[in-house]
């Protein structure tokens, strides 16, 4: 196997990446091969989908499958060989359907259908062993001897950014929000990658195009969340247990949480969020359920300890799954794109089996003293204070705004973000999103007086990783009000990256022209030193250093200049 799509990639070899029989994430070589083959197969599906769309036979259902199938290949999402074989078979069925639709529509329009080649003509083998053999020449490093590692790395930048976009597309789709224009961009991007592009400038421009597509996707997802569950508003969330039976739900699937709350209403079961589900408490249509009692645990990489200590069943709804320990393997469930061999998978949102398990398990035997953290500071909530924020900037009460978010992880160096946040001066605000907030959201940052009697928490939880859209909206509104460019704002971005959603968000920020982003703790293994030099020079990226205080002082010096 070979995989270097996430920050966990082994960096000990001549080419950084996991290349043994098992990746750092727990993915085995067969699963890795099947994922590679699925991506290749999806390029062929997209080729017929794009051709069909060009003659008026667009198939949004098939495009939705493309997004979902791509999502399953993200880091720490799905580890089930059986399901990947199923996805490859499904992809072949969609390709046949799209081929027929394209040829029929082309003939009706008076044009001769093209005979497509490459991934479009690929036929998967009949056995898993045969699929593995086919995948051997189709991995991420295919063609490296011809085009070199710089090009391969920039192809990967496009592919991994697209994977992140597909995850966000699927999150919106499960709430009924779709967009044919976005589906077209997805199909075109896969077709582009299927041509094995090798021009570095073209690859960089295409990556920025993906960033613009992701901005449209994040806007759609924001509308989906608010349209389904109301506009987020500030509230506090309990982080200590309440006596009673308990269910824990992790991931990003708010509709899944809503279904769980509906199905557990009146059962005596308390529901706890975990990880990226924490922002759910900011949505009025979710927090109105009194048995949504709080948030449990830390970031995803702590789940093996956290889940082993949770006295009820656990539901994993999207990415961030780690190999379950025996202590809880018998009462963890997967849903949506997630999968692990031997773990029960729930189709749709029927949680009846989970409810039975919750009632059979002890739950919490006592209620602990309440501890709370604030959430719900989306762009609507923050922009309601825009006049006060501007007044505080002009008066000097607010020296700087720090955007600190992204994906957390277990790699060395991530204490940097806690040390940095602790040292942020009292006259600054921190906006945070994504699971990186767990590095410091247990700290008491106090409040900042903006204007008159208006005090706000110095740590403002904007939401999930996809809510980087909110941070962008806030920054653009402030820049407009101050009559300056975003890059001239008293704003510092300190972002941690881990997997492919983070790549998609970064491409969006770069596409918007935002410069001087501080990124770390390491840069992606798939970008060669030469490719990193190009990206750093062109977009002004900064790799965070070993000394958070020095980096913070440099940021504040910029505020004073």
């Amino acid at each position: 196997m070979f995989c270097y799509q996430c920050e966990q990639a082994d960096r000990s070899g001549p080419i950084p990446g996991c290349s043994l029989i098992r990746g750092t994430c727990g993915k085995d070589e067969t699963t890795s091969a099947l994922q590679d083959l699925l991506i290749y197969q999806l390029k062929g599906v997209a080729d017929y989908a794009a051709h069909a769309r060009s003659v008026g036979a667009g198939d949004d259902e098939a495009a939705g499958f493309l997004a979902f199938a791509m999502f399953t290949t993200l880091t720490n999402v799905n580890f089930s060989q059986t399901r990947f074989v199923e996805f490859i078979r499904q992809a072949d069925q969609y390709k046949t359907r799209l081929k027929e639709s394209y040829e029929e529509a082309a003939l009706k329009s008076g044009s001769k259908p093209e005979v497509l080649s490459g991934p479009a003509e690929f036929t998967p083998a009949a056995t898993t062993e045969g699929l593995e053999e086919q995948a051997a020449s189709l991995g991420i490093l295919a063609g490296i001897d011809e085009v070199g590692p710089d090009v391969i790395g920039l192809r990967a930048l496009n592919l991994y950014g697209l994977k992140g976009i597909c995850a966000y597309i699927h999150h919106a789709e499960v709430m009924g929000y779709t967009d044919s224009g976005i589906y077209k961009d997805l199909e075109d991007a896969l077709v582009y990658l299927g041509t094995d592009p090798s021009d570095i400038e073209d690859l960089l421009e295409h990556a920025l195009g993906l960033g613009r597509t992701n901005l449209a996707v994040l806007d759609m997802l924001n509308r989906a969340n608010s349209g389904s569950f109301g506009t987020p508003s500030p509230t506090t969330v309990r982080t200590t247990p309440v006596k009673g039976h308990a269910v824990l739900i992790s991931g990003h699937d708010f509709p899944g949480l809503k279904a769980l709350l509906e199905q557990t209403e009146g059962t005596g079961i308390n529901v706890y969020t975990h990880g990226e589900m924490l922002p759910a408490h900011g949505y009025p249509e979710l927090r109105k359920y009194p048995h949504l009692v709080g948030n449990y645990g830390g970031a995803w990489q702590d789940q093996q300890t956290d889940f082993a200590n949770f006295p009820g069943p656990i539901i994993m709804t999207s990415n961030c799954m780690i190999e379950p320990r025996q202590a809880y393997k018998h009462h963890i469930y997967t849903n949506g794109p997630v999968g692990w061999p031997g773990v029960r998978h729930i189709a749709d949102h029927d949680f009846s089996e989970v409810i039975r398990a919750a009632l059979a398990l002890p739950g919490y035997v006592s209620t602990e003293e309440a501890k709370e953290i604030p959430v719900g500071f989306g762009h609507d909530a923050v922009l309601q204070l825009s006049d006060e924020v501007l007044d505080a900037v002009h008066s000097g009460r607010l020296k700087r705004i720090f955007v600190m978010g992204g994906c957390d992880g277990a790699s060395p160096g991530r204490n940097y973000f806690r040390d940095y946040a602790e040292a942020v001066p009292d006259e600054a605000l921190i906006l945070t999103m994504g699971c990186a907030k767990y590095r410091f959201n247990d700290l008491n940052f106090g409040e900042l007086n903006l204007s008159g009697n208006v005090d706000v928490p110095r740590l403002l939880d904007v939401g999930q990783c996809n809510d980087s859209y909110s941070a962008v909206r806030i920054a653009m509104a402030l820049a407009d009000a101050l009559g300056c460019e975003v890059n001239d704002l008293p704003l510092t971005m300190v972002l941690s990256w881990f997997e492919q959603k983070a790549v998609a968000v970064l491409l969006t920020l770069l596409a918007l022209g935002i410069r001087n982003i501080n990124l770390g703790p390491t840069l992606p293994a798939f970008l060669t030193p030469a490719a990193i030099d190009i990206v750093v020079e062109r977009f002004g990226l900064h790799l965070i250093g070993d000394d958070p205080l020095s980096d913070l002082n440099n940021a504040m010096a910029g505020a004073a200049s």
Side-chain angles (χ1 to χ4, degrees), residues 162 165 169 181-182 185-186 208-218 508:
L162 184 60
I165 292 169
I169 289 173
I182 288 171
D185 287 351
L186 164 57
L208 292 180
L210 289 176
R212 289 185 285 272
T213 294
N214 192 49
L215 182 61
V217 174
L218 294 180
T508 296

Side-chain angles (χ1 to χ4, degrees), residues 51-57 101-114:
H51 276 77
R53 198 174 292 276
S54 71
V55 291
S101 297
Y102 163 57
E103 291 174 347
E104 180 181 346
L107 291 172
K108 282 184 178 179
S109 68
S111 60
K112 182 179 179 181
E114 294 182 44

Side-chain angles (χ1 to χ4, degrees), residues 423-488:
V424 167
D426 291 345
E427 60 271 20
L429 293 175
I430 302 173
L431 305 184
T432 188
M433 74 290 297
C435 61
K437 67 173 68 96
Y438 285 103
R439 285 285 162 177
F440 46 79
N441 72 344
D442 61 320
L443 299 172
N444 182 7
F445 290 93
E447 294 184 327
L448 176 69
N449 180 257
L450 293 179
S451 177
N453 295 320
V454 179
D455 295 322
V456 297
R458 288 186 51 243
L459 179 67
L460 302 177
D461 188 338
V462 175
Q464 294 181 327
C465 58
N466 53 274
D467 289 310
S468 53
Y469 173 81
S470 281
V472 168
R473 286 281 302 274
I474 292 166
M476 288 182 163
L478 290 176
D480 184 59
L482 291 169
C484 67
E485 299 296 323
V486 171
N487 293 317
D488 297 323

Side-chain angles (χ1 to χ4, degrees), residues 250-265:
S250 187
H252 303 75
D253 183 13
F254 288 164
L257 172 58
K258 178 70 180 299
L260 178 64
L261 290 168
E262 290 173 342
Q263 293 171 39
T264 51
E265 195 168 17

Side-chain angles (χ1 to χ4, degrees), residues 519-540:
L519 188 68
T522 57
L523 288 181
F526 53 82
L527 291 180
T528 62
I532 288 173
D533 288 344
I534 294 171
V535 173
V536 166
E537 180 180 357
R538 181 161 304 187
F539 304 114

Side-chain angles (χ1 to χ4, degrees), residues 118-407:
E121 63 178 354
F122 172 76
T123 300
T127 65
T128 301
E129 293 75 13
L131 294 172
E132 282 192 85
E133 291 176 10
Q134 289 178 318
S137 61
L138 300 174
I140 194 67
L141 296 182
I144 193 170
D145 292 338
E146 290 77 30
V147 299
D150 298 340
V151 168
I152 294 295
L154 290 174
R155 287 180 187 171
L157 176 66
N158 279 266
L159 174 61
Y160 300 152
L162 184 60
K163 285 188 178 189
I165 292 169
C166 287
Y168 291 140
I169 289 173
H170 180 70
H171 287 323
E173 187 180 54
V174 295
M175 289 178 272
Y177 283 70
T178 61
D179 185 298
S180 294
I182 288 171
Y183 282 148
K184 180 181 184 303
D185 287 351
L186 164 57
E187 293 162 356
D188 290 345
L190 281 167
V191 172
Y192 172 78
L193 289 170
T195 65
D196 295 330
S198 58
D199 182 89
I200 285 178
E201 289 297 321
D202 189 52
L203 283 161
L204 285 171
E205 284 303 311
H206 190 270
L208 292 180
L210 289 176
R212 289 185 285 272
T213 294
N214 192 49
L215 182 61
V217 174
L218 294 180
D219 175 66
M220 179 174 68
L221 181 52
N222 175 72
R223 288 184 281 110
N225 284 330
S226 294
S228 302
F229 309 114
T231 301
S233 59
T235 189
T236 56
V237 181
R238 185 186 183 102
T239 59
T240 49
V242 175
K243 181 179 178 179
H245 295 293
V247 171
L248 185 66
I249 184 166
S250 187
H252 303 75
D253 183 13
F254 288 164
L257 172 58
K258 178 70 180 299
L260 178 64
L261 290 168
E262 290 173 342
Q263 293 171 39
T264 51
E265 195 168 17
T267 63
I269 297 171
N270 292 323
V271 176
Y272 296 80
T273 57
H274 172 266
E276 285 267 57
M277 280 291 194
L278 170 61
H281 297 265
Y283 289 88
E285 289 301 309
L286 295 174
R287 70 170 183 245
K288 71 180 184 182
Y289 291 89
H291 62 299
L292 179 62
V293 296
N295 186 74
Y296 170 85
W300 67 272
Q301 73 272 5
D302 300 325
Q303 67 185 251
Q304 288 181 322
T305 300
D306 287 343
F307 290 1
N309 293 323
F310 187 76
I314 301 143
I315 306 165
M316 293 296 298
T317 68
S318 60
N319 47 316
C320 307
M321 186 169 188
I322 301 176
E323 181 174 6
R325 290 182 172 172
Q326 287 303 317
Y328 61 89
K329 190 173 183 178
H330 61 288
H331 58 260
I332 187 170
Y333 302 81
T334 60
N335 184 241
V338 192
W340 190 279
V343 170
R344 286 163 290 188
H345 186 78
I346 298 170
D348 302 317
H349 288 146
D350 178 4
F351 296 118
S352 53
E353 185 176 352
V354 177
I355 292 170
R356 288 193 294 271
L359 293 173
L361 289 165
Y364 286 105
V365 298
S366 63
T367 298
E368 294 185 10
E369 180 182 355
K371 295 180 181 178
E372 295 181 328
I373 54 177
V375 300
F377 290 91
H379 61 269
D380 291 289
V382 176
L383 292 178
Q384 286 179 11
L385 299 170
S386 57
D387 290 341
E388 289 82 2
V389 171
L390 293 172
D391 181 70
V393 170
H394 287 305
S395 67
R397 287 191 299 275
L398 176 57
K399 299 290 188 185
R400 201 152 191 86
I401 298 173
F402 291 86
V403 177
M404 299 186 65
C407 301

Side-chain angles (χ1 to χ4, degrees), residues 27-36 78-81 84:
K27 178 170 60 177
D28 61 45
E29 57 184 338
T30 297
T31 303
S32 181
L34 293 173
Q35 289 184 357
D36 288 341
N78 198 310
F79 301 81
S80 171
Q81 297 176 16
F84 279 110

